[in-house]
Amino acid sequence: MKNLVIVESPSKAKTIQKYLGTDFTVTSCMGHIRDLPGNDKAIDIENNFTPIYEINEDKKKLVSELKKQARSADMVWLASDEDREGEAIAWHLSEALQLDPVKTRRIVFHEITKPAILKAIEHPRGIDTNLVDAQQARRVLDRLVGFGLSPVLWRKVQRNLSAGRVQSVAVRLVVEREREIQAFTATSQFKITAEFSVEGRTLTAELPQRFDREEDARAFLEACATAVFRVTNLETKPAKKSPTAPFTTSTLQQEASRKLGYSLVRTMKLAQDLYEQGLITYMRTDSVNLSEIAIGAARDFIVSSFGETYSNPRTYTTKVASAQEAHEAIRPTDFTKRAAGETDAHKKLYDLIYKRTAASQMSDARLERTVASIAISTLPDVLTATGEVLVFDGFLKLYLETTDDEQQDDEASKMLPPLKVGQELPLMSMMAKERFERPPSRYTEASLVKKLEELGIGRPSTYAPTITVIQTRKYVVKEDRDGRQREVRRLTLESGSIARVVELENTGAERSKLFPTDIGSVVTDFLTAHFQDILDYNFTATVEKQFDEIAHGNVPWTTMIRDFYGPFQETIRKTSETAERQSGERCIGVDPTSGKNVYVRLARYGPIAQIGDADDENKRQKGLPGNLSIETVTLEQALELFKFPRVIGLFEEAPMEVKLGRFGPYIEHNKAFYSLPKEDDPYSIEGPRGIEVILARRQKIAENTIKTFEEDPSVKVLKGRWGPYIVVGKQNVRIPKDTNAEALTLEDCLQLAAQQAPAKPAKKGAAAKKAAAGDAAPAAKKAVKKAAKKPAKKAAKKAAKKTTTAVKKTAAKKSTK
């Protein structure tokens, strides 16, 4: 073999292989091949914080194969990504494969195109140890923080908790925003709007000032009842709108969330696919820069599609002072490809990137903004009407950025009807409507990334993992929540008389917003009280700058770690010895029936309400449902919980009990659980309606069931949102593509379940043998043994040992019979 090229993923390898020809063999290392072991021995603190790396268990065979290939190659090319993470992968490959520096080259590129790959081959370099050190410093620091804080949380708050340098700060942001909202008291004012008839069209005008009291708003309307309204001034000014810069990682995540509804993780997965297929440039970047070639290609597209007047080539300056390395913005690699991507989701994201990039090189939109001043004969106040005319659409022809607060479909505001100074305007109606001040907005995934970026916390490669981990660990939840109704007063002046109406409006409804859990709030309070530096926004941002200094070769990474570790260890020791256990306990009142205090607090298995003190042998406890928090629950709400479970009748000779769970109210019947629909009140639902809920749920389950097995009722083939799937006990199992779900046998299902069972950490001795025997999938393992005892199943048992491909073939054959 002449040349061996190693990249991170098979799809990236496949794309690059097309460009390099037969003299090159391109293979994949499937991401990181080495990492720190999952214990407290991973870092040799006494030996200058030396990390002890291990080859990942699932990569040992791959590493062995790569070693053989590397030994037989004349030259090895390490072609992992060009950021710090990619540089670290290249270094780990060099170390683990024991590569000869003389016959090893490092190549980098920010797009997977033939010119970029060939240019990289022509200009190789060595491994940048400064970038490796920066990544290593981040990894070591995060391990020291995580393994230092987590045991303290286990002892002082609750078992199985974790903390992290970036994740804990992200949680703190969500917690503090929620407390801002809870502390917010909405005040209202009355807004005045008037509608006039002008040549068959309606002109809407507003009073700039607001009224705090309904009486003042009414007095204003009364004064206008007999007034004459006249245009006193018309002012027209030119205005313009400029396009936004091309995408960085964070702005792509934000815009894909707003425009397409994609999560951060989904956006990054789709972007990585597009990058590895050679369709866009590298997707982890904080640069807004475009190459001259890209600017020229964008110009050609704009001129050919819209004309010369729409083209305005421009460069953008990266606002992030600590932007990593010399990346480009995220852009298409080929502007002649107007559409690209394997799936609809890929195509939508590519289209978003294409339009944003092209729009950044287009002309400003030109508008004409007109403001009309309208005098009131009976008052000194002046109404104003504003309108916009889009004179030249410019970049709006192609793209308009949205915001978290509003999503606009049409940028141009309504035009004003023809007006002239001195013109009298007939009043159609005037309204004074109560408007409430809005609290701060809760974070979405995208807006939290934006906030982290503003604070200098994290990097393009860490945004999505950070937001994911705080949800996985149940410190934060992303969910929809219903609002509540409130009264809104409205006064309307028409035909000289004033009518008063009280309307109901919905407020506080949230969609896909981030809420802190009780455990997230308690942990944040504990860490803020005892580890102020770790939770300090400036500290986290300063650490990121130190990583940048290491990447530039200005600071040895071990010096930075040593300066941090000493004070950190002392704080851990002091906190472990002196800090009191924290549960967020709050006394919310007295139970009127027993006269005992009522508390809410965090218990071992979650938040609870408790009647009676801790030392009361007869104290009663109830878990808080998911819609209640220990920070905001009232005495009345807590006492209502003790009314459950409610027995609402018998059905099929078994009681129906209404209960409250973390995910809402439900009926328990014959060891089965049936969620109550939103329209049903758990406090008042009775037996007949309970039976209806149970039967409706059974009907839905039956409609979604493709196949069951009498030999093992725990195994089912069901219809899902994304297609058929298998359930084995509590394990959900994917069905391979092109497999006939109806033709699957019990053994087929169990084999797939065993293959897809989550891996457990490596164990020693007998435990390891047990794990190898399938301890990770006890339900599947047990059922396989059960099926194996039946002589009639011998052939099926044999087939069950085959690979997923064999399962697919077997099912396909059966479906044709």
Side-chain angles (χ1 to χ4, degrees):
M1 185 191 305
K2 289 186 177 181
N3 296 280
L4 175 66
V5 181
I6 305 176
V7 300
E8 296 98 328
S9 73
S11 59
K12 186 176 176 182
K14 183 179 178 181
T15 306
I16 294 175
Q17 184 70 74
K18 293 187 300 185
Y19 302 139
L20 291 180
T22 56
D23 285 344
F24 289 81
T25 298
V26 187
T27 189
S28 165
C29 66
M30 306 296 289
H32 280 280
I33 61 168
R34 298 200 308 179
D35 200 358
L36 299 173
N39 56 49
D40 57 1
K41 308 298 183 185
I43 299 167
D44 188 349
I45 295 170
E46 302 301 323
N47 190 20
N48 209 19
F49 300 96
T50 301
I52 312 298
Y53 293 108
E54 292 181 354
I55 294 175
N56 300 339
E57 193 66 33
D58 60 340
K59 297 291 179 69
K60 287 184 177 180
K61 184 177 178 181
L62 175 62
V63 169
S64 179
E65 289 295 322
L66 289 174
K67 276 185 178 180
K68 290 179 184 177
Q69 290 179 292
R71 279 196 295 266
S72 65
D74 296 336
M75 185 67 68
V76 178
W77 305 80
L78 303 177
S80 49
D81 292 337
E82 62 175 332
D83 57 8
R84 297 171 190 172
E85 205 72 23
E87 205 70 24
I89 289 174
W91 178 75
H92 282 295
L93 284 168
S94 177
E95 294 286 310
L97 305 184
Q98 300 172 339
L99 298 179
D100 181 356
V102 176
K103 46 182 280 188
T104 304
R105 298 288 183 270
R106 170 80 170 114
I107 56 173
V108 295
F109 38 83
H110 64 268
E111 61 181 59
I112 304 177
T113 59
K114 189 171 184 177
I117 300 301
L118 295 180
K119 183 179 179 181
I121 293 288
E122 291 171 4
H123 300 89
R125 62 169 173 80
I127 292 173
D128 189 332
T129 55
N130 291 329
L131 295 183
V132 175
D133 286 347
Q135 190 274 346
Q136 195 160 237
R138 177 188 293 277
R139 193 77 184 87
V140 169
L141 180 63
D142 288 347
R143 173 58 68 91
L144 292 173
V145 171
F147 271 63
L149 292 180
S150 297
V152 178
L153 291 176
W154 283 40
R155 291 191 296 270
K156 302 297 183 179
V157 181
Q158 192 181 82
R159 292 185 63 81
N160 298 322
L161 296 179
S162 68
R165 181 181 56 85
V166 177
Q167 76 170 57
S168 297
V169 173
V171 175
R172 180 186 175 186
L173 283 169
V174 178
V175 169
E176 289 184 345
R177 177 57 58 87
E178 187 65 27
R179 286 173 178 168
E180 281 183 64
I181 294 169
Q182 297 301 333
F184 180 82
T185 302
T187 58
S188 66
Q189 291 183 314
F190 286 84
K191 177 183 177 181
I192 306 293
T193 57
E195 291 186 342
F196 301 96
S197 177
V198 181
E199 298 181 4
R201 294 173 58 185
T202 300
L203 170 68
T204 302
E206 295 182 2
L207 183 70
Q209 74 181 83
R210 306 288 175 95
F211 295 105
D212 295 329
R213 302 190 311 154
E214 180 182 347
E215 293 83 355
D216 296 333
R218 176 178 286 276
F220 182 88
L221 295 187
E222 289 173 348
C224 291
T226 57
V228 174
F229 301 88
R230 199 179 303 277
V231 178
T232 57
N233 188 46
L234 288 171
E235 185 177 5
T236 301
K237 291 183 178 180
K240 71 174 184 177
K241 283 190 175 294
S242 299
T244 44
F247 282 130
T248 63
T249 300
S250 68
T251 55
L252 175 64
Q253 290 170 340
Q254 292 165 45
E255 194 73 337
S257 173
R258 293 187 292 247
K259 269 187 158 59
L260 305 177
Y262 293 171
S263 68
L264 303 189
V265 172
R266 189 180 188 198
T267 296
M268 293 311 294
K269 177 63 174 68
L270 293 171
Q272 181 153 343
D273 292 343
L274 293 174
Y275 165 68
E276 291 179 351
Q277 292 160 20
L279 299 172
I280 64 170
T281 52
Y282 192 52
M283 65 286 165
R284 284 190 280 272
T285 175
D286 37 24
S287 171
V288 292
N289 181 52
L290 292 178
S291 68
E292 289 298 323
I293 294 175
I295 292 174
R299 184 186 184 284
D300 292 343
F301 160 73
I302 294 163
V303 172
S304 64
S305 300
F306 309 114
E308 189 73 40
T309 55
Y310 282 87
S311 175
N312 182 22
R314 61 182 92 201
T315 58
Y316 294 87
T317 303
T318 300
K319 294 180 180 179
V320 181
S322 55
Q324 279 186 33
E325 291 77 62
H327 294 164
E328 262 195 271
I330 303 170
R331 62 164 176 83
T333 57
D334 184 355
F335 276 89
T336 64
K337 289 184 178 178
R338 185 62 190 82
E342 292 181 342
T343 66
D344 285 343
H346 287 100
K347 290 172 183 175
K348 287 178 181 179
L349 190 66
Y350 180 85
D351 183 64
L352 190 69
I353 293 168
Y354 192 103
K355 287 180 176 178
R356 173 77 164 232
T357 309
S360 75
Q361 301 301 306
M362 293 177 72
S363 302
D364 294 339
R366 297 195 302 274
L367 305 102
E368 196 173 76
R369 188 167 290 135
T370 301
V371 179
S373 300
I374 303 169
I376 307 168
S377 62
T378 55
L379 293 167
D381 302 277
V382 175
L383 300 171
T384 60
T386 303
E388 280 184 358
V389 176
L390 188 61
V391 178
F392 174 66
D393 53 3
F395 77 94
L396 295 177
K397 185 100 173 174
L398 190 64
Y399 181 84
L400 173 66
E401 183 185 31
T402 54
T403 68
D404 289 311
D405 296 323
E406 56 184 350
Q407 298 192 16
Q408 302 162 316
D409 295 318
D410 183 9
E411 177 60 24
S413 300
K414 60 180 180 294
M415 295 173 57
L416 297 182
L419 297 172
K420 57 185 177 181
V421 175
Q423 180 177 352
E424 185 175 322
L425 302 176
L427 179 68
M428 296 167 59
S429 67
M430 183 177 288
M431 180 174 66
K433 187 172 183 179
E434 188 175 21
R435 295 291 181 90
F436 286 86
E437 187 182 0
R438 297 175 63 184
S441 298
R442 289 183 174 90
Y443 288 112
T444 61
E445 287 186 343
S447 63
L448 183 56
V449 165
K450 183 179 181 181
K451 185 64 176 180
L452 289 170
E453 186 180 41
E454 288 173 357
L455 294 172
I457 297 169
R459 284 294 179 266
S461 61
T462 65
Y463 296 140
T466 297
I467 305 302
T468 300
V469 78
I470 64 176
Q471 295 178 67
T472 302
R473 291 175 177 169
K474 307 298 183 186
Y475 291 151
V476 169
V477 293
K478 180 176 75 170
E479 59 188 30
D480 302 342
R481 292 194 181 177
D482 296 331
R484 59 179 179 83
Q485 289 193 322
R486 67 182 174 196
E487 292 185 346
V488 176
R489 294 168 288 174
R490 176 168 59 84
L491 304 175
T492 304
L493 169 64
E494 280 185 316
S495 303
S497 63
I498 298 174
R500 183 182 188 273
V501 176
V502 177
E503 303 170 324
L504 291 177
E505 71 173 12
N506 200 44
T507 182
E510 300 284 22
R511 181 172 176 78
S512 295
K513 293 294 181 69
L514 298 179
F515 296 83
T517 62
D518 285 322
I519 188 65
S521 298
V522 172
V523 168
T524 296
D525 288 341
F526 180 82
L527 293 177
T528 304
H530 300 287
F531 296 91
Q532 294 179 351
D533 286 346
I534 301 297
L535 269 287
D536 183 74
Y537 301 132
N538 291 329
F539 165 78
T540 311
T542 300
V543 167
E544 297 292 348
K545 292 176 183 176
Q546 289 177 315
F547 291 149
D548 295 335
E549 289 295 303
I550 294 168
H552 295 133
N554 298 329
V555 179
W557 75 270
T558 51
T559 300
M560 176 231 178
I561 298 295
R562 191 181 304 108
D563 291 344
F564 163 81
Y565 188 70
F568 177 63
Q569 273 299 98
E570 177 59 25
T571 304
I572 286 179
R573 184 196 63 77
K574 182 179 178 182
T575 303
S576 299
E577 293 175 357
T578 62
E580 294 183 358
R581 189 170 181 82
Q582 192 151 335
S583 65
E585 182 175 279
R586 193 166 65 94
C587 181
I588 57 175
V590 176
D591 173 28
T593 303
S594 65
K596 297 179 180 180
N597 288 331
V598 180
Y599 301 91
V600 286
R601 63 180 177 86
L602 193 64
R604 183 177 182 181
Y605 297 109
I608 63 167
Q610 175 178 300
I611 298 177
D613 296 331
D615 56 357
D616 185 346
E617 293 182 358
N618 298 316
K619 60 180 177 289
R620 299 166 61 201
Q621 297 177 337
K622 288 288 181 181
L624 291 188
N627 63 331
L628 296 179
S629 164
I630 59 176
E631 295 200 357
T632 58
V633 63
T634 64
L635 175 64
E636 292 73 19
Q637 289 172 325
L639 292 176
E640 286 290 317
L641 301 176
F642 291 89
K643 295 180 180 178
F644 293 92
R646 286 182 59 230
V647 178
I648 58 173
L650 291 176
F651 178 51
E652 297 173 344
E653 299 183 354
M656 295 179 288
E657 290 185 304
V658 178
K659 296 183 177 182
L660 297 181
R662 288 294 294 164
F663 303 104
Y666 63 94
I667 297 173
E668 182 175 344
H669 175 257
N670 260 340
K671 298 183 179 179
F673 308 98
Y674 305 88
S675 296
L676 283 187
K678 286 185 178 180
E679 60 268 20
D680 288 305
D681 181 2
Y683 297 95
S684 60
I685 185 172
E686 296 298 340
R689 175 56 184 157
I691 294 172
E692 289 179 7
V693 170
I694 292 172
L695 294 177
R697 178 60 183 160
R698 287 179 181 176
Q699 177 69 23
K700 188 173 182 180
I701 291 172
E703 292 171 355
N704 289 337
T705 300
I706 297 174
K707 198 168 187 179
T708 58
F709 303 94
E710 290 183 6
E711 310 97 294
D712 191 342
S714 70
V715 181
K716 301 173 185 176
V717 184
L718 304 177
K719 296 176 185 177
R721 183 178 179 185
W722 310 111
Y725 69 101
I726 302 165
V727 173
V728 179
K730 293 184 178 180
Q731 182 189 1
N732 289 344
V733 182
R734 296 186 309 276
I735 296 176
K737 192 177 179 182
D738 300 326
T739 299
N740 183 350
E742 295 181 3
L744 289 170
T745 65
L746 173 62
E747 288 71 28
D748 292 337
C749 295
L750 296 174
Q751 178 63 22
L752 287 171
Q755 290 172 353
Q756 297 178 30
K760 284 194 172 184
K763 300 178 181 180
K764 296 181 180 179
K769 293 180 181 179
K770 183 180 177 183
D775 187 47
K781 179 184 169 188
K782 182 178 179 182
V784 168
K785 287 182 177 178
K786 182 179 177 182
K789 292 178 181 177
K790 300 184 179 181
K793 300 294 182 180
K794 285 183 179 178
K797 178 190 173 187
K798 200 172 183 179
K801 295 181 179 179
K802 296 181 180 179
T803 61
T804 303
T805 306
V807 173
K808 291 163 61 177
K809 289 180 179 178
T810 302
K813 286 179 182 177
K814 290 175 182 175
S815 66
T816 59
K817 290 183 180 179

